[in-house]
Amino acid sequence: MSPLAPAQLPPAFMPSDYGPELRPHVAALPGMTSISVGDLFSGFGPAITDGASVDRDAIRHAARAALANVDMSKLTADDSVNILASEHGFGLMGGWPYAEMVKTIREVVLERTPCRRINLRLAIYRGFKEADEVSEHFGFEEAFEGKVKGLGPFDPGVKVDTAIGPMYLVKRAFDATRFIHAYYDDPREMYFNRLLYKSFKSFCMSYARFETRSVYHSLFGNRSGSIIPRALFDSDFLQQRYAFSSVLRTSPMGVTGIDASNDLYGIDKRITASHLATYGRMQRLFAEIKDCVAVWDGGRWGYYLHSGGLIFGTLLTNHHDSFDLDVPVVAGFMQQPGAPVNFSRNKALRGIVVNQAWVGAGIPYVTMPFTSPMYIVGDEQARLWREDSTNPLLMDRATTVPTVEDGIAVAMEKGQTDKVIVFDGSYGHITCNAAMADFLKAHAAQVDEEVGTTLLPKWLAQRGLA
Amino acid sequence: MAVINYVAELDVEPCTGCNLCDIVCPSNAITMTARKAAIDPDLCIGCGRCVDRCPEDIMWMARRETPLTITVAPDEAVEAQTVALLDKAGIDLNVSVCVCTLTPASEIARAIVKGAKDLEEVSAATGMRSGCGIYCVAPALRLLEAAGADMTPPKGYRWYPLTTSLWDISEEARRRYPDAFIDEDRKVFDPDGKYRPLHEDSAR
């Protein structure tokens, strides 16, 4: 076993009505440590920030440098422009890096163009109060002089004709003459998006009505679904309004920079190549784990909490290689023909302990406790889960435990594992126990070699990027 | 099958009649009378969306004394018609259309064969949309369209008639997006080649 260094605390996260009262972090428990992503993969470049302490000036400087090369001539004095931001960006490293990029875009547009009607549109997932929470926490009302509105999948829609037929977007996202796609590049649900034109996904999710989101998830496979956001972006409706894109760039180390351009396809190629090399290595390292307990310990939905820059959902599904496009189905709602529900799960995941996370609130975890025992910490949190209409069956199978220490202990015992990994929003390091740290260190070199020599060339070739 | 443990309730007096709860209700459980909302507990499927949406914070979810169990059992619809409808829509009968209640496509199809005429009636009959209310919508709309239902969207913005699926992508679109795995995924999800576009004008 390694000598145990104390674990680093994760970035602070935004309190919310959609989650339980904030609890102390698992990283502060005895027996927890942090393993540096840079120690696992020395080839990863450095980050501007991993979120633990955000140098806002550095983010602003990177944004200004990237935006300097963007043609903003479409933004005239007669125009109004919506900066479109998506909720998941505010879950990355505490949200401040993304928030600073969004604010800097506005400042640069004001400086470089005669356009003065600059609005922020906050695309949220499902809760009607999410946008107000985000706006207040990150000071957007002040930064945008009150020109801030939220939008979600249940808001009024607008019909958009595309090459694959009509689709429906949220009208409020496009109620200006122009829009700016202010994005983040977290590969996030790589088991759905497969890193196939991921930079476009907002056009069929964040900015889209629920019908469009449903078509993407439920009436296409997770490879063929990539046609929908591209068809939307390429539509006359959007191209007539599109100004440029600005994307917060990340790796498992943290924020690596900002990429801004009028050419979103070009941005996407750069992101895809970079992600396959970095997140691809982390994904395959997680796939080496043959037994473990995972702990949710963050301020957003459990699927989307990070550890070493990868969301929990990756661990849940990486018994398949999400980046290998020869694998037709990784996850998804269309599922395998003949399968009543996609029970396919990573059997290495022997238990999930929920210390803190947003309760379902629109994210179904219904099938998870069928295959991975779930332990909910505290009666109050259990009550919230029991009342969650999105997961009506979950508490029939999940177990309530009094403390997170109890939850971890019973999950390890019943799961016959000595390894614990914590999803607490961390980039640049993984919060875990000593057994997991030793395991990851022992396997990283082999993964590095396999990805570099075999998998990465294949993944790139499958996407025409070799 | 869905077991509904909660029902929406409200304090009527301060209701402003803004209608926002009605628009997000998936099962037509809310009606507006004299600019006041009224909830039909027999139709409420407990999604809680109205409570979250209410700008006056005058709605809440109450636990039902007796859970409401809703389902369309296999013997409530002619199986051959159900299977034919699913095949016409190009949806596997076993797929969980609602991933919150795990309601399979076969049950959605049975509800339509039995007589449900729109998305709200399907939701009230099966409990689909009692959870997230998002991912199940397009397959249900597609089954309704395949059954010949009136796809005129209701007043407001409850839903829009979007049913495009893998089987509807035209040859022209496939040429424009040759790396979209359309043909490859069709073989995966329809190895026997039995599914067709929903409309004649969608060239395969």
Coordinates of all heavy atoms in Angstrom, one line a residue, chain A residues 261-290:
Chain A
S261 N -14.3 30.0 -32.5 CA -14.2 30.1 -34.0 C -15.6 30.2 -34.6 O -16.6 29.9 -34.0 CB -13.6 28.8 -34.5 OG -13.6 28.7 -35.9
N262 N -15.7 30.7 -35.8 CA -16.9 30.6 -36.6 C -17.2 29.2 -37.1 O -18.3 28.9 -37.4 CB -16.9 31.6 -37.7 CG -16.5 33.0 -37.3 OD1 -15.4 33.4 -37.2 ND2 -17.5 33.8 -36.9
D263 N -16.2 28.4 -37.2 CA -16.3 27.1 -37.8 C -16.4 26.0 -36.7 O -15.4 25.5 -36.1 CB -15.0 26.8 -38.6 CG -15.0 25.4 -39.2 OD1 -16.0 24.7 -39.1 OD2 -13.9 25.0 -39.6
L264 N -17.7 25.7 -36.4 CA -17.9 24.7 -35.3 C -17.4 23.3 -35.7 O -17.0 22.5 -34.8 CB -19.4 24.7 -34.9 CG -19.8 23.8 -33.8 CD1 -19.0 24.1 -32.5 CD2 -21.3 23.9 -33.5
Y265 N -17.5 23.0 -37.0 CA -17.0 21.7 -37.4 C -15.4 21.6 -37.1 O -14.9 20.5 -36.7 CB -17.2 21.5 -38.9 CG -18.7 21.0 -39.2 CD1 -19.7 21.8 -39.5 CD2 -19.0 19.6 -39.1 CE1 -21.0 21.4 -39.7 CE2 -20.3 19.1 -39.3 CZ -21.3 20.0 -39.6 OH -22.5 19.6 -39.9
G266 N -14.7 22.7 -37.3 CA -13.3 22.7 -37.1 C -13.0 22.5 -35.6 O -12.1 21.7 -35.2
I267 N -13.8 23.2 -34.8 CA -13.6 23.1 -33.3 C -13.9 21.6 -32.9 O -13.1 21.0 -32.1 CB -14.7 24.0 -32.6 CG1 -14.3 25.4 -32.7 CG2 -14.7 23.6 -31.1 CD1 -15.3 26.4 -32.0
D268 N -14.9 21.0 -33.5 CA -15.3 19.7 -33.1 C -14.2 18.7 -33.4 O -13.9 17.7 -32.7 CB -16.6 19.2 -33.8 CG -17.1 17.9 -33.3 OD1 -17.6 17.9 -32.2 OD2 -16.9 16.9 -34.0
K269 N -13.5 18.9 -34.6 CA -12.4 18.0 -34.9 C -11.3 18.1 -33.9 O -10.7 17.1 -33.5 CB -11.9 18.3 -36.3 CG -12.8 17.8 -37.4 CD -12.2 18.1 -38.8 CE -13.2 17.6 -39.9 NZ -12.8 18.1 -41.2
R270 N -10.9 19.3 -33.5 CA -9.9 19.5 -32.6 C -10.2 18.8 -31.2 O -9.4 18.2 -30.6 CB -9.6 21.0 -32.4 CG -9.0 21.6 -33.6 CD -8.5 23.0 -33.3 NE -9.5 24.0 -33.2 CZ -10.1 24.7 -34.2 NH1 -9.8 24.4 -35.4 NH2 -11.0 25.6 -33.9
I271 N -11.4 19.1 -30.8 CA -11.9 18.5 -29.5 C -11.9 17.0 -29.6 O -11.4 16.3 -28.6 CB -13.3 19.0 -29.1 CG1 -13.2 20.5 -28.7 CG2 -13.9 18.1 -28.0 CD1 -14.6 21.1 -28.5
T272 N -12.4 16.4 -30.6 CA -12.5 14.9 -30.7 C -11.1 14.3 -30.7 O -10.9 13.3 -29.9 CB -13.2 14.5 -32.0 OG1 -14.5 15.2 -32.0 CG2 -13.4 13.1 -32.1
A273 N -10.2 14.8 -31.4 CA -8.8 14.3 -31.4 C -8.2 14.3 -30.1 O -7.6 13.4 -29.6 CB -8.0 15.0 -32.5
S274 N -8.4 15.5 -29.4 CA -7.8 15.7 -28.1 C -8.4 14.7 -27.1 O -7.8 14.1 -26.2 CB -7.9 17.1 -27.7 OG -7.7 17.3 -26.3
H275 N -9.7 14.6 -27.1 CA -10.5 13.8 -26.1 C -10.2 12.4 -26.3 O -10.1 11.6 -25.3 CB -12.0 14.1 -26.3 CG -12.5 15.3 -25.6 ND1 -11.6 16.3 -25.2 CD2 -13.7 15.7 -25.3 CE1 -12.3 17.3 -24.6 NE2 -13.6 16.9 -24.7
L276 N -10.1 11.9 -27.5 CA -9.8 10.5 -27.6 C -8.4 10.1 -27.0 O -8.3 9.0 -26.4 CB -9.8 10.1 -29.1 CG -11.1 10.2 -29.8 CD1 -11.0 10.0 -31.3 CD2 -12.1 9.1 -29.3
A277 N -7.5 11.0 -27.1 CA -6.2 10.8 -26.5 C -6.2 10.9 -25.0 O -5.4 10.2 -24.3 CB -5.2 11.8 -27.1
T278 N -7.0 11.8 -24.4 CA -6.9 12.0 -22.9 C -8.1 11.3 -22.2 O -7.8 10.3 -21.5 CB -7.0 13.5 -22.6 OG1 -8.2 14.1 -23.2 CG2 -5.8 14.2 -23.2
Y279 N -9.3 11.7 -22.5 CA -10.4 11.0 -21.9 C -10.4 9.5 -22.3 O -10.9 8.7 -21.5 CB -11.7 11.7 -22.3 CG -11.9 13.0 -21.6 CD1 -11.7 14.2 -22.3 CD2 -12.3 13.1 -20.2 CE1 -11.9 15.4 -21.6 CE2 -12.5 14.3 -19.6 CZ -12.3 15.5 -20.3 OH -12.4 16.7 -19.7
G280 N -10.0 9.2 -23.5 CA -9.9 7.8 -23.9 C -9.0 7.0 -23.0 O -9.3 5.9 -22.6
R281 N -7.9 7.5 -22.6 CA -7.0 6.8 -21.7 C -7.7 6.7 -20.3 O -7.6 5.6 -19.7 CB -5.7 7.6 -21.5 CG -4.7 7.3 -22.7 CD -3.4 8.1 -22.5 NE -2.4 7.7 -23.4 CZ -2.3 8.0 -24.7 NH1 -3.1 8.8 -25.3 NH2 -1.3 7.5 -25.4
M282 N -8.3 7.7 -19.8 CA -9.0 7.6 -18.5 C -10.1 6.6 -18.6 O -10.3 5.8 -17.7 CB -9.5 9.0 -18.1 CG -8.5 9.9 -17.7 SD -7.6 9.4 -16.2 CE -8.8 9.6 -15.0
Q283 N -10.9 6.6 -19.7 CA -12.0 5.7 -19.8 C -11.5 4.2 -19.8 O -12.1 3.4 -19.1 CB -12.7 5.9 -21.2 CG -13.9 5.0 -21.4 CD -13.9 4.5 -22.9 OE1 -12.9 4.4 -23.6 NE2 -15.1 4.2 -23.3
R284 N -10.4 4.0 -20.5 CA -9.9 2.6 -20.5 C -9.3 2.2 -19.1 O -9.3 1.1 -18.7 CB -8.9 2.4 -21.6 CG -9.4 2.4 -23.0 CD -10.4 1.2 -23.2 NE -11.8 1.5 -22.8 CZ -12.7 0.6 -22.5 NH1 -12.4 -0.7 -22.5 NH2 -13.9 0.9 -22.1
L285 N -8.7 3.2 -18.4 CA -8.2 2.9 -17.1 C -9.3 2.5 -16.2 O -9.2 1.6 -15.4 CB -7.4 4.1 -16.5 CG -6.8 4.0 -15.1 CD1 -5.8 2.8 -15.1 CD2 -6.2 5.3 -14.6
F286 N -10.4 3.2 -16.3 CA -11.6 2.9 -15.4 C -12.1 1.5 -15.8 O -12.6 0.7 -15.0 CB -12.7 3.9 -15.7 CG -12.6 5.1 -14.8 CD1 -11.4 5.5 -14.2 CD2 -13.7 5.9 -14.5 CE1 -11.3 6.7 -13.5 CE2 -13.7 7.0 -13.7 CZ -12.4 7.4 -13.2
A287 N -12.0 1.1 -17.1 CA -12.4 -0.2 -17.5 C -11.6 -1.3 -16.9 O -12.0 -2.5 -16.9 CB -12.4 -0.3 -19.0
E288 N -10.4 -1.0 -16.5 CA -9.5 -2.0 -15.9 C -10.0 -2.4 -14.5 O -9.6 -3.4 -14.0 CB -8.1 -1.5 -15.8 CG -7.3 -1.4 -17.1 CD -7.1 -2.7 -17.7 OE1 -6.6 -3.6 -17.1 OE2 -7.5 -2.9 -18.9
I289 N -10.8 -1.5 -13.9 CA -11.2 -1.8 -12.5 C -12.2 -3.0 -12.5 O -13.2 -2.9 -13.2 CB -11.9 -0.5 -11.9 CG1 -11.0 0.6 -11.9 CG2 -12.5 -0.8 -10.5 CD1 -11.7 2.0 -11.6
K290 N -11.9 -4.0 -11.8 CA -12.7 -5.2 -11.9 C -13.7 -5.3 -10.7 O -14.6 -6.1 -10.7 CB -11.8 -6.5 -11.9 CG -10.8 -6.5 -13.0 CD -11.5 -6.4 -14.4 CE -10.5 -6.3 -15.5 NZ -11.0 -5.7 -16.7

